[in-house]
Amino acid sequence: MGPTSSPLTPKMYLLIFCTCDVLSLVIQAIGGGLASSASSEVNGDTKPGTDTMVAGIIFQLFSITVFVYFFGVFLKRVRNQVLPRNLKILVAAACFSVLMIYVRSIYRTVELLQGWDGYLITHQVYFVVLDGALMVAAVGVFNIWNPGWLLRSAPKRPESEEMELRDNGPPKLQEPSMDN
């Protein structure tokens, strides 16, 4: 496992996916504000605000889908590598967490698409299970299998390899040739 295991650099993951998440949250907040202010007016139309919120949550679901794709590429590249037990546990915990977040995002998308009088939003059990419990599980898994503890016990790279990566960046992946 190393820089060649992933299609993006760690810095690009941070830049792309944190930006997308913040942007989606801002869009959702704007929509929530519009819907809230319209709901306090007599005959106020909450549809534009609700539609804006839905656009934000759909954008978030799209960006999570792209992340899941890249995570899948990473998993495919490391599946045949011999990983220390602690890294296998960390990868399994990350898979579980990503799955919980993804299912919750699908639920939130469907919930908002149904509108303020929809079935999911008017039945609290779905919110408790498909929103709250899934997010507790997504975060809680890292309380049990703490990345700080698991990475601390991971084998270290030789200093020469670390210096080469710092100086030259991650090695480029070789594309498979069509000659075979």
Side-chain angles (χ1 to χ4, degrees):
M1 196 169 356
T4 59
S5 301
S6 177
L8 299 176
T9 64
K11 195 176 286 188
M12 289 305 295
Y13 278 103
L14 180 67
L15 180 68
I16 293 169
F17 296 108
C18 283
T19 301
C20 286
D21 206 38
V22 168
L23 183 60
S24 72
L25 292 174
V26 167
I27 294 168
Q28 290 174 61
I30 290 169
L34 291 170
S36 177
S37 65
S39 72
S40 62
E41 298 172 6
V42 176
N43 297 325
D45 184 12
T46 60
K47 185 163 175 38
T50 302
D51 290 346
T52 303
M53 287 177 66
V54 168
I57 197 85
I58 288 173
F59 177 70
Q60 187 175 41
L61 181 60
F62 171 77
S63 65
I64 291 171
T65 301
V66 173
F67 175 81
V68 166
Y69 168 77
F70 284 124
F71 190 50
V73 170
F74 164 78
L75 292 174
K76 184 178 177 189
R77 289 180 181 176
V78 299
R79 74 175 183 262
N80 293 326
Q81 293 183 20
V82 177
L83 298 176
R85 183 176 184 275
N86 58 325
L87 290 183
K88 286 180 183 178
I89 292 169
L90 184 58
V91 168
C95 287
F96 176 80
S97 183
V98 167
L99 178 64
M100 297 298 102
I101 292 168
Y102 198 67
V103 170
R104 182 231 182 214
S105 294
I106 293 168
Y107 157 73
R108 292 284 293 142
T109 301
V110 172
E111 176 193 45
L112 285 177
L113 283 171
Q114 290 181 350
W116 298 107
D117 296 322
Y119 186 81
L120 291 176
I121 208 166
T122 58
H123 292 81
Q124 187 176 12
V125 68
Y126 294 105
F127 175 77
V128 170
V129 173
L130 295 172
D131 194 319
L134 290 181
M135 291 310 294
V136 167
V139 174
V141 70
F142 293 114
N143 286 320
I144 298 166
W145 292 286
N146 187 298
W149 299 333
L150 293 170
L151 291 174
R152 191 174 304 128
S153 61
K156 303 288 183 209
R157 287 184 213 233
E159 182 66 30
S160 59
E161 187 178 333
E162 285 292 333
M163 288 176 63
E164 181 182 329
L165 287 174
R166 272 193 302 258
D167 295 341
N168 301 329
K172 302 296 181 220
L173 290 174
Q174 296 291 332
E175 291 295 321
S177 69
M178 302 303 264
D179 298 336
N180 297 355

